[in-house]
Amino acid sequence: MSKRIKGMAVALSFVLLAAVFAAGCGQQNTVRRSDKIKVGVTIYDQYDTFLSQYMECFTKELEADEEVEVVVYNASQSQQTQNSQVKKMIEDGCDILCVNLVDRTDPTTVIDAAKKADVPIVFFNRELVEGDIGRWNKLFYVGADAAQSGILEGELAASTCLSDKTIDRNGDGKIQYIVLEGEAGHQDAIVRTEYSVDTLVQKGVEVDKLGYAIANWNRAQAQTKVAQFIENYHDSIELIMSNNDDMALGAIDAYEAAGMIKSEWPAIFGIDGTTVGLEAVRDDKMTGTVYNDKEGQAHALYRLTTTIARGGSIEELSDEFEVTDGKYIRLDYEKITATNINKYLKVK
Ligand code: BGC
Ligand code: CA
């Protein structure tokens, strides 16, 4: 919580800083606008745990660069609000935009406005469909391969189920499981759900699906949904596969609130490796998670944004990152369990 507030404060200080620079530019000629790159950022929801930590990393990088000014907007889960923010950032003279789309299937207004004004866009975290990113050669995407995260989560769960026979609490040779899904329509929710369960089965785990719930990446919503599952199934849930850490933490909250002892809990897996997620792995409440490399993605976003804004090309970065189709930079996910948790708690 305090980290998020700190993150928001950093974001806010950037807005103020940008305003100060803008005022300075208007009044005197000592600060020349053209000396600096003006970056406009809009995120779908500043209260998203993963994204607020991601933005903290990103703004830290920008803050260290004296050649950059930045404004950060929160779209509060409204695409209409985000469309207006994009128009405003263009009017305010941003040289490039970083857009975390609210609705990944509805980027038309954003793309049209940017194209008309010849302002490039680097989309991040919420991946638009190929047809849309192909609409202009100044549209890019920084993110990660959703399928890889699902596969790694499935592998983690499979190795736990295959090596620890106590997971199959009722001893029927099958693993009774539920899936907690992120927002309907989000590429990470759709793809992670599919690949995590497929991988589990491919690795030889026999499964029995008790149900699934859409909890929109949200801890409180997941807690409510899992509380309902606990009422229906009590201690018969043996595995929970969550599309992200926050929903896995909501599941943990539900087991704690129900007063169930640890031996009655399922094995719980998440994806992200947020600070709270890592702490849950350290404290043996979450069995494992998959690192969604926010530091790496924030760094790639910073490098790509400043390179393009200076008239460079994405290919210039191919020594540093894997560049695909002249448009995409994707960072790898990594598995995290109790055995390597310290590396993530310390380094990241
Ligand atoms: C993360 C989620 C986050 C979502 C927001 C995903 O990549 O795993 O935690 O809520 O992005 O778009
Ligand atoms: Ca069983």
Side-chain angles (χ1 to χ4, degrees):
M1 194 63 179
S2 67
K3 279 219 153 161
R4 178 182 299 154
I5 289 168
K6 203 177 126 220
M8 283 160 54
V10 170
L12 196 73
S13 72
F14 268 101
V15 175
L16 294 176
L17 200 66
V20 168
F21 276 123
C25 300
Q27 283 156 15
Q28 43 185 284
N29 292 331
T30 44
V31 183
R32 280 196 297 119
R33 256 293 309 279
S34 56
D35 287 351
K36 288 186 181 276
I37 299 166
K38 190 165 178 183
V39 179
V41 185
T42 164
I43 58 170
Y44 94 103
D45 180 2
Q46 70 178 0
Y47 296 106
D48 181 290
T49 306
F50 172 74
L51 264 179
S52 69
Q53 293 204 318
Y54 185 136
M55 286 309 292
E56 226 176 285
C57 301
F58 184 47
T59 48
K60 207 182 281 171
E61 294 239 19
L62 292 166
E63 199 176 27
D65 187 336
E66 288 174 0
E67 308 280 292
V68 172
E69 288 172 36
V70 61
V71 266
V72 181
Y73 286 94
N74 170 29
S76 305
Q77 300 207 18
S78 158
Q79 188 57 58
Q80 232 177 323
T81 302
Q82 188 164 65
N83 294 345
S84 316
Q85 291 170 345
V86 163
K87 284 177 190 155
K88 169 103 176 74
M89 291 188 289
I90 292 171
E91 274 164 29
D92 289 348
C94 284
D95 301 300
I96 190 158
L97 305 181
C98 298
V99 177
N100 176 230
L101 280 169
V102 175
D103 182 349
R104 63 184 280 264
T105 65
D106 187 18
T108 311
T109 310
V110 167
I111 293 175
D112 288 349
K115 199 171 166 184
K116 196 166 156 210
D118 196 26
V119 175
I121 305 181
V122 185
F123 293 96
F124 64 102
N125 168 261
R126 299 163 73 88
E127 185 172 349
L128 59 174
V129 296
E130 244 180 87
D132 284 324
I133 205 167
R135 285 182 44 198
W136 187 32
N137 62 1
K138 292 184 182 172
L139 304 177
F140 305 91
Y141 179 74
V142 171
D145 174 12
Q148 186 189 40
S149 58
I151 292 169
L152 296 184
E153 187 182 37
E155 286 178 359
L156 281 175
S159 74
T160 299
C161 295
L162 295 171
S163 66
D164 180 355
K165 293 298 168 200
T166 67
I167 304 287
D168 180 14
R169 208 178 300 114
N170 66 355
D172 67 349
K174 291 183 184 161
I175 300 298
Q176 277 68 36
Y177 76 97
I178 62 171
V179 179
L180 296 175
E181 298 184 13
E183 285 166 273
H186 191 301
Q187 86 281 349
D188 288 341
I190 300 166
V191 177
R192 285 173 184 171
T193 299
E194 182 188 333
Y195 280 81
S196 59
V197 177
D198 281 0
T199 304
L200 186 63
V201 173
Q202 269 170 30
K203 293 279 166 193
V205 177
E206 273 204 65
V207 293
D208 177 13
K209 184 174 187 175
L210 297 180
Y212 76 96
I214 294 174
N216 297 308
W217 308 119
N218 182 281
R219 182 168 179 162
Q221 286 184 37
Q223 178 175 354
T224 308
K225 301 269 162 104
V226 173
Q228 192 61 50
F229 281 118
I230 295 174
E231 250 187 74
N232 296 342
Y233 294 109
H234 192 58
D235 67 347
S236 348
I237 305 163
E238 298 172 341
L239 170 67
I240 294 184
M241 305 277 270
S242 173
N243 284 173
N244 80 341
D245 280 358
D246 256 22
M247 296 188 294
L249 290 159
I252 291 167
D253 295 340
Y255 278 91
E256 286 180 337
M260 292 179 62
I261 53 166
K262 187 74 206 310
S263 62
E264 297 174 317
W265 292 22
I268 299 173
F269 293 90
I271 294 176
D272 276 344
T274 54
T275 305
V276 269
L278 294 175
E279 285 166 0
V281 175
R282 178 197 62 198
D283 300 342
D284 196 29
K285 293 179 175 181
M286 212 195 286
T287 311
T289 187
V290 176
Y291 205 69
N292 190 357
D293 185 359
K294 55 188 179 308
E295 287 83 1
Q297 290 172 48
H299 182 61
L301 184 60
Y302 163 72
R303 293 284 292 129
L304 182 59
T305 300
T306 48
T307 301
I308 299 293
R310 292 196 172 99
S313 76
I314 190 170
E315 273 78 22
E316 284 171 35
L317 302 177
S318 51
D319 287 346
E320 276 173 73
F321 307 102
E322 208 179 305
V323 174
T324 320
D325 298 338
K327 288 196 166 287
Y328 297 92
I329 293 179
R330 290 196 175 91
L331 279 283
D332 276 334
Y333 285 97
E334 296 157 29
K335 289 185 212 177
I336 304 178
T337 61
T339 56
N340 64 351
I341 183 74
N342 284 336
K343 171 183 151 202
Y344 290 88
L345 281 168
K346 277 185 211 136
V347 181
K348 311 258 181 169

